[in-house]
Structures are given as C-alpha cells and as structure tokens.
Amino acid sequence: MQNENALALPMAASSDDLGDFSAPAPLGGMDFGGDLGGDLGMGGMSGGALDMPAMGGGMPAKSKLSGKAKAAIVVRLLLNEGADIPLESLPDDLQIELTQQMGRMGLIDRDTLHEVAGEFAEMLDNVGLSFPNGLAGALSAMEGKISRQTASRLRKEAGVRQFGDPWERLRALPPEDLAELAEAESTEVAAVLLSKLDTTKAAQMLIHLPGPVARRITYAVSQTAAVTPDTVDRIGLSLAAQIEARPEVAFDETPGQRMGAILTQAAAGKRDEVLTALDEEDEEFAGDVRKSIFTYALIAQRVSPVDVPKIARVLAQQDLVTAIAFATDEEDVETSEFMLANMSSRMANNIREEVSERGKVKRSVGEGAMSTIVNALRELVNSGEVELRSAEEDEED
C-alpha cells in the first residue's frame, strides 16, 4: 500500500472519475472533495462512469479498482452495517453516479473487501482534523459564533446563500413571523407551510392569522395530497430566501415593546403623564405601548391562579405586605385579593394580619414593592416557569 494519510476523492469540477485513495493534501490536511467526504471521511464523487464487470469469482485486486468502485464498496459495506450515511447531501448527479456504479458491481471476494476496507480504515485513522467544504460550509459552522453583520457581509461578498434545510430555518421562526409569511403568500403556499410545521407551532401560527385567512389556509391543506417533494423544497427555499433578505435591525423588540418595558418600571404618575403625551402625538403608538406595559394591576388578568404560589416563593413576604397595604385603586385591590386567594391559607392569613397592622404606606415605598413583584414575575416568565395569558385571551374572556 502506498504511504497515504488521507482518503481524498476529487471534486466534481476537477476529475473524470470518483477519485481514488490518494496522497495527502498540502500541509498534511485532508482534501475532502464534497459533502460525502465530509461525513464519511471520503472525498466527493464525480465524473463519468467506469464499467465494472460482474465477476462471480470476485473483483480484481485493489490496484485494478477505480476510485468509483472503491467508493461503492465502502458505501455498500457501511449500509450493510446499518450506518446512516447522508448521501442525500450530495448533488443529484453524484447520487446518480454512485447508484449506477453500485448497480454495475458484481460479487466482491472476501480478500478484496478486506483490502479496500482496511485501506479506508487506515486513511481515517490518520485524519486529525477536517474543515467545512468551502465558504458556505464555513459560514454554517460559524453560525452563532460570529456577528450577524460579519456573516451577512461574507455571504454578500462571496455570493453565498446557504440555508441548509430551509424548513428547519422556518420552523425556528416565532409564530407571528410565520403568520406574516403565510398572509403574504398564496393560499396554496401557506397550506404547504402549515403542513410542514409541527402541530404546536402550526396552531400558534393560526392564532395570529385573521379568521377568514386561517379558514382558507386550513381548507387548502386538503388540496396538498398531490404536492411533490420538489415543490415543497422550492417553496421552503423561496420562503427562507425572504427571511434572509430581511434587513438587519438593531433591536429585537418593537418600539412599543421597548417603551412599554421602560414605563413598566416608571412611577405611576410619570407613566400616566407620558402616556397622555403619547396619546396627543401618536395614538396608535400609544396603544402599542399600553399593550406592552405590565403593572401590578394586570397580575389578576394575565397570571394563572396555579402560578401564584411560584411568585410567592421568590418574594419576600414583606414586599407582598407592603404592596397589598398600598393598593387602593380598584384594579390593584383586585390583584391583591387574587394573590391572597391563590396562595396557601396560612401565608394569606399572616399577610392579612400584617397588612391590618401596617400604617399608611408612602407612594414611593408602595410603588417600589409593586415593581419588585412585577420584576420577579417577569424573571419567572423569562425562565419559562410561568406563562402569561395573552391580551387577546383577556379580550375574549
């Protein structure tokens, strides 16, 4: 056997066959010619077909085997052993060539099989490190490790648009973004999108669609029985391209959400003053801000009764006593009663006793205690321990 330390099969654009077990790449690296090489330790397969005789007495010695024949033997051996080989990641023409080559192969004698498998194993043993194939693979590997601005600039400079599986990209989107995509597309495309989502995400997407649109899309699902895989792939790529084409934005939240979070922490007097001014300047924006403000008064409307003990566990009892003693507005009192009714009776009785003994609470102290409770609730929401009811659910109730 030659002194080799890598199994490198040429790329499609550079050879007329599937390659061979060849000398190492420069600097001791491993020249992976294609996606198959990246996953199997083999290079890419390409080029014209080389007829391999069907030999009942066994294949010729390995020195007479072409690179395509060796690749076919290794792939067949791995499949027999139950290995999951991602051959679908190869270009279509290479998948065809590999399948055709396997169809031309006859019986392989045991000695030839051992020689080819041993040579392949030896090459893999000497592999120390492999890198993604090309800039597209490098960008996928570095996703989340480099800034979005840098990745976007590299893609534009190299003309690379690498989605991987576009449906994985789409499934990761929030339901409101999926609803926006569906509403902008034809009913048939939206039906395919709905069908490719998991049931939970699909249901959430429908919630964010207007009733008539949701009904049309759900009916159109019944017409998707004859849709071909190629059509589904093209739709996925088209929708993913729309997502990729969106301009980068500096903030994840909408302006109304950012302003609402700020006013949530503000004193009630200042919050009312700002909202009044916003009503005069931009009534629509003021409405968005109000939807994003979360105050002590909203706890009774947005929190499930079973989650009240979770809130009580992370709070100092003194904060609850101060907030309840300070609450005088009707909605604040409603939240106080809601909290007391859904915590343990022992804790509720202790709090009621301390409230009755507590004198008048200063506004700054009372509002501070309410802010502490709201902040604790938000931390529980962010950690996933508590889920708030949506404003839409409140309106329906």
Side-chain angles (χ1 to χ4, degrees), residues 106-253:
L107 295 175
I108 305 297
D109 64 68
R110 191 178 301 275
D111 290 340
T112 301
L113 177 62
H114 287 170
E115 287 178 354
V116 174
E119 189 177 356
F120 179 63
E122 183 178 344
M123 301 307 104
L124 292 182
D125 285 342
N126 287 304
V127 175
L129 184 66
S130 66
F131 285 88
N133 183 33
L135 182 57
L139 285 170
S140 295
M142 296 292 284
E143 185 175 358
K145 306 298 188 298
I146 59 177
S147 69
R148 290 184 297 177
Q149 294 84 352
T150 301
S152 178
R153 188 182 70 193
L154 288 172
R155 289 183 189 276
K156 290 177 181 178
E157 290 176 356
V160 176
R161 298 196 66 81
Q162 176 87 358
F163 300 120
D165 181 357
W167 289 108
E168 289 299 322
R169 174 78 172 89
L170 292 167
R171 292 187 188 101
L173 293 176
E176 54 268 25
D177 286 358
L178 291 169
E180 182 181 346
L181 273 178
E183 198 168 0
E185 294 291 339
S186 68
T187 303
E188 293 76 12
V189 169
V192 172
L193 171 60
L194 184 69
S195 301
K196 288 292 289 182
L197 301 175
D198 61 78
T199 54
T200 301
K201 182 63 72 71
Q204 292 172 343
M205 186 189 92
L206 288 176
I207 291 174
H208 289 82
L209 286 169
V213 176
R215 287 193 292 271
R216 288 198 300 271
I217 293 173
T218 51
Y219 172 74
V221 171
S222 66
Q223 311 298 316
T224 60
V227 176
T228 64
D230 286 343
T231 300
V232 173
D233 288 340
R234 288 198 299 271
I235 290 173
L237 287 170
S238 175
L239 295 176
Q242 294 181 43
I243 299 299
E244 291 292 323
R246 290 179 176 179
E248 294 286 344
V249 295
F251 303 105
D252 293 329
E253 302 87 5

Side-chain angles (χ1 to χ4, degrees), residues 5 60 91 127 144 245 259 296 333:
N5 65 359
V127 175
M259 197 65 233
Y296 179 80
V333 172

Side-chain angles (χ1 to χ4, degrees), residues 28-56:
M30 188 171 185
D31 180 14
F32 294 126
D35 290 334
L36 182 63
D39 292 303
L40 298 181
M42 299 170 58
M45 295 177 290
S46 63
L50 176 61
D51 292 334
M52 298 298 299
M55 302 182 63

